[in-house]
Amino acid sequence: MLVTLHYTDLAVAALLLLVNGGLSMALDLGLARPLLVAALRMVVQLSLVGLVLTRLFALESPWLTLGAALVMLLFAGQETMARQERRLTGWWSYGIGTGAMGTAAGIVLLLGLSTAVRPDPWWDARYAIPMLGMVLGNAMSGVGLALHTLTATAARERAAIEAQLALGGTRWTALRPILRHALRTALMPTINSMAAMGLVALPGMMTGQILSGVDPGEAVKYQILIMFLISGATGLGVLAASLATVRRLSDRRHRLRLDRLVRRKQA
């Protein structure tokens, strides 16, 4: 049986934020204002999303579904770029992450919709948009972490990289340790999440389905499917973005091109 939540229920839960804010001020953490802003953003954004999805589900338009997916991808690209301490110059900073995430999420989502879920029609927004949100959100975190690690480590290890290049190594040989480090760093959160799922944590999608009355066994199957899709999209996106960034950080003459990086301005 679905339990309907009222705004008073949400207000009671929101009191916990006051506790966190009080702790921040007592310990001088400086997090009270960011916590308040983040909470307000969350409420406004989710409220707007709820209204948009209600309308989108009712219209059943493939073009509106595609438009919503593109908007989600564009915002994900912006968030990925914002998480990098050192960015590639020009459009590369935004384009590489967005392109990698869009390609990976698109492939994985089409696979999931056409083979496992099989809604009718296959682009049904009620299935496509929530699945894309979960896949894209995790791919965004992985790609952002990979690019941040790759660019920051390349700048820090400049002397070692250039020494290998001077000894006749190719750009792939010189940058391979950094590439491997970035890939491992970006993929480890997904691996840890899958390893702890069920024993330590009950994931949000599964919990939501159970609370809405879905049989736990069916909810488990959906959660396993989503985690496989998330893992695949994250792996493909991280690999594509990292390889593209390595190419951009070097040239055909196998020189390190850190001049193509710009440090993010601190607020």
Side-chain angles (χ1 to χ4, degrees), residues 1 9 11 24 37 56 64 88 108-109 148 164 169 189 192 208 230 237:
M1 180 181 67
D9 301 321
S24 174
V37 172
L56 188 63
L64 289 178
L88 291 170
V108 168
L109 184 63
H148 169 76
Q164 293 192 50
N192 291 338
I230 286 174

Side-chain angles (χ1 to χ4, degrees), residues 12-37:
V12 172
L15 294 176
L16 296 173
L17 294 178
L18 298 180
V19 176
N20 290 339
L23 290 174
S24 174
M25 290 186 289
L27 299 175
D28 197 22
L29 301 180
L31 296 177
R33 181 180 177 83
L35 179 65
L36 176 61
V37 172

Side-chain angles (χ1 to χ4, degrees), residues 136-158:
L136 193 58
N138 285 270
M140 176 189 71
S141 298
V143 170
L145 187 56
L147 296 184
H148 169 76
T149 303
L150 185 60
T151 54
T153 307
R156 186 175 66 249
E157 301 294 333
R158 176 175 185 171

Side-chain angles (χ1 to χ4, degrees), residues 86-140:
R86 297 176 183 270
R87 305 172 181 172
L88 291 170
T89 56
W91 69 274
W92 296 96
S93 178
Y94 182 82
I96 286 180
T98 305
M101 287 187 299
T103 302
I107 292 174
V108 168
L109 184 63
L110 288 176
L111 177 66
L113 290 175
S114 60
T115 61
V117 182
R118 296 191 297 274
D120 185 23
W122 68 267
W123 43 261
D124 190 345
R126 187 174 296 275
Y127 294 89
I129 296 302
M131 289 177 63
L132 176 62
M134 288 183 284
V135 170
L136 193 58
N138 285 270
M140 176 189 71

